Amino acid sequence: MSDLFKYLHPIGLKLKILLFISILTVGIIIIFINPIVKPTQVKLISNTNAISTNSSVDATGKFQVVYTPLQRKHSIQRQERFQKYQSFEKLAQKLNRVLIMPNDVKVILGDCGAVNAYYKPSEHSITICYELIDRFTEVFMDYYQSRELNINQPEVINKVNRRVAGTTVFTFFHELGHTLIEELDLPVTGKEEDTVDEFSTILLSELGQEYAALASAIQFGLSGNQEIASVSQDLSFWDEHSLNYQRFYNIICLVYGKEPQKYDVLVEKIGIPPQRQNTCRIDYSKKLKAWRTLLSPHLRESVNLL
């Protein structure tokens, strides 16, 4: 598995260049992760050129960002950056322009006392805990320390911040998937956790921001290494989430399915065999079509989410 991350290093640089030269057509979400160092940004680009509102639809539900009171200095600094750059507010505005929602949905940001992110149906809310962002940072920092790199170097800090930002964005869209399934009463015939992983990966891939999905895949891979290393603990085969290694491979499989030529070397390096590569391409096409079909009645006129 360590060879994988050595390989993903140049891939990350290529995607970094691609992100900075891509044309911004609608909006940008800026995610500032580490309040102590220079922030990094992840851009979300719409795949539609024209957005018009269907005035005949009375859509009262809106996504609304809520910040909770804080005590931890580190969290206060992070929240100040979110508020200054309106990171999640811009994303909420974008979703409000695209989706027809029956209820208001709160996007709650703050400390939770636990490493978590979740959708709560009874409150129509998505919560992103700052402790989870801290955890993402620790995972990537530990990885670079294990490679005996100076984690205080600006280059290393920038890489960590970009990957934490990407993983945070992926996590938000994962929870958005749960939200859409519940709020819009969408059918799910498989494991819902796998389904919303797929939703987040497909959405980011369609927006040209697959770097965020790959960053999350790396986080799952690194967490999978920790699971395997903890031989004293049983793996949670019963859990509603797939194992971290499975989530790692499934995300990369779908990213490859969107652009096989771009990521053919990647899937070979991590050991996805040719027969599975073929089904990755088929899976992506089928799942994209399924999500478009499910969401089409809930989109404003002349607008695409995927």
Side-chain angles (χ1 to χ4, degrees):
M1 185 61 68
S2 61
D3 291 338
L4 160 67
F5 301 110
K6 292 179 182 179
Y7 173 76
L8 281 182
H9 175 66
I11 291 293
L13 292 179
K14 290 173 63 179
L15 286 174
K16 180 178 178 181
I17 295 172
L18 177 63
L19 288 176
F20 278 106
I21 65 173
S22 61
I23 300 175
L24 304 183
T25 58
V26 176
I28 299 175
I29 182 172
I30 305 175
I31 302 294
F32 285 88
I33 301 301
N34 191 331
I36 300 176
V37 300
K38 183 178 180 180
T40 61
Q41 61 185 18
V42 171
K43 307 171 186 176
L44 296 183
I45 308 171
S46 173
N47 64 342
T48 178
N49 293 323
I51 294 183
S52 60
T53 301
N54 185 350
S55 59
S56 64
V57 177
D58 182 17
T60 58
K62 300 292 183 183
F63 288 88
Q64 303 172 343
V65 179
V66 177
Y67 295 98
T68 63
L70 300 171
Q71 293 184 340
R72 293 195 307 159
K73 181 179 179 181
H74 184 75
S75 296
I76 292 173
Q77 292 173 327
R78 172 180 287 117
Q79 187 156 286
E80 287 175 349
R81 290 182 180 274
F82 280 139
Q83 292 173 320
K84 177 179 179 180
Y85 294 97
Q86 298 285 286
S87 305
F88 283 91
E89 286 84 353
K90 292 176 183 178
L91 180 54
Q93 291 169 9
K94 186 178 181 64
L95 293 174
N96 290 336
R97 295 172 65 189
V98 175
L99 290 164
I100 302 170
M101 299 295 293
N103 303 297
D104 288 340
V105 176
K106 293 179 291 185
V107 179
I108 302 173
L109 301 165
D111 286 340
C112 308
V115 177
N116 204 1
Y118 55 92
Y119 163 69
K120 192 170 184 178
S122 61
E123 296 183 1
H124 306 285
S125 64
I126 297 171
T127 298
I128 304 294
C129 304
Y130 290 155
E131 291 91 341
L132 181 63
I133 301 177
D134 293 340
R135 175 57 180 160
F136 293 154
T137 304
E138 290 172 6
V139 169
F140 289 114
M141 283 292 191
D142 288 347
Y143 166 66
Y144 283 109
Q145 282 185 314
S146 70
R147 298 181 63 188
E148 298 183 352
L149 295 178
N150 184 356
I151 61 173
N152 295 316
Q153 289 180 345
E155 181 182 1
V156 173
I157 292 174
N158 184 55
K159 289 177 183 177
V160 169
N161 284 351
R162 281 180 53 78
R163 286 180 172 174
V164 174
T167 306
T168 302
V169 172
F170 179 92
T171 301
F172 174 80
F173 284 129
H174 172 102
E175 299 305 331
L176 176 64
H178 284 303
T179 304
L180 297 180
I181 288 170
E182 180 70 21
E183 300 287 337
L184 304 180
D185 194 25
L186 303 180
V188 178
T189 60
K191 289 176 63 175
E192 185 170 324
E193 292 296 338
D194 289 346
T195 298
V196 295
D197 268 359
E198 293 164 359
F199 169 77
S200 185
T201 303
I202 291 171
L203 178 56
L204 287 165
S205 296
E206 289 299 306
L207 293 173
Q209 302 300 313
E210 68 271 21
Y211 177 83
L214 289 174
S216 190
I218 294 172
Q219 187 275 142
F220 286 129
L222 292 173
S223 296
N225 286 342
Q226 295 175 356
E227 282 180 340
I228 298 300
S230 301
V231 293
S232 60
Q233 299 179 2
D234 292 331
L235 295 178
S236 301
F237 293 108
W238 42 262
D239 195 73
E240 60 186 333
H241 299 84
S242 293
L243 296 176
N244 283 318
Y245 270 159
Q246 291 176 302
R247 299 177 79 176
F248 165 81
Y249 281 106
N250 289 338
I251 291 170
I252 293 180
C253 178
L254 284 178
V255 169
Y256 165 78
K258 172 70 162 81
E259 296 191 74
Q261 293 182 340
K262 186 174 181 179
Y263 296 104
D264 57 348
V265 179
L266 171 59
V267 294
E268 291 177 6
K269 285 285 186 179
I270 67 173
I272 297 180
Q275 61 269 29
R276 181 64 178 118
Q277 293 175 29
N278 184 54
T279 57
C280 288
R281 296 191 291 268
I282 296 172
D283 285 351
Y284 187 90
S285 178
K286 286 183 176 180
K287 294 178 188 298
L288 174 61
K289 180 180 178 180
W291 273 107
R292 283 177 171 171
T293 300
L294 291 172
L295 291 176
S296 61
H298 309 283
L299 299 177
R300 297 184 185 278
E301 184 180 354
S302 303
V303 172
N304 293 320
L305 180 63
L306 292 170

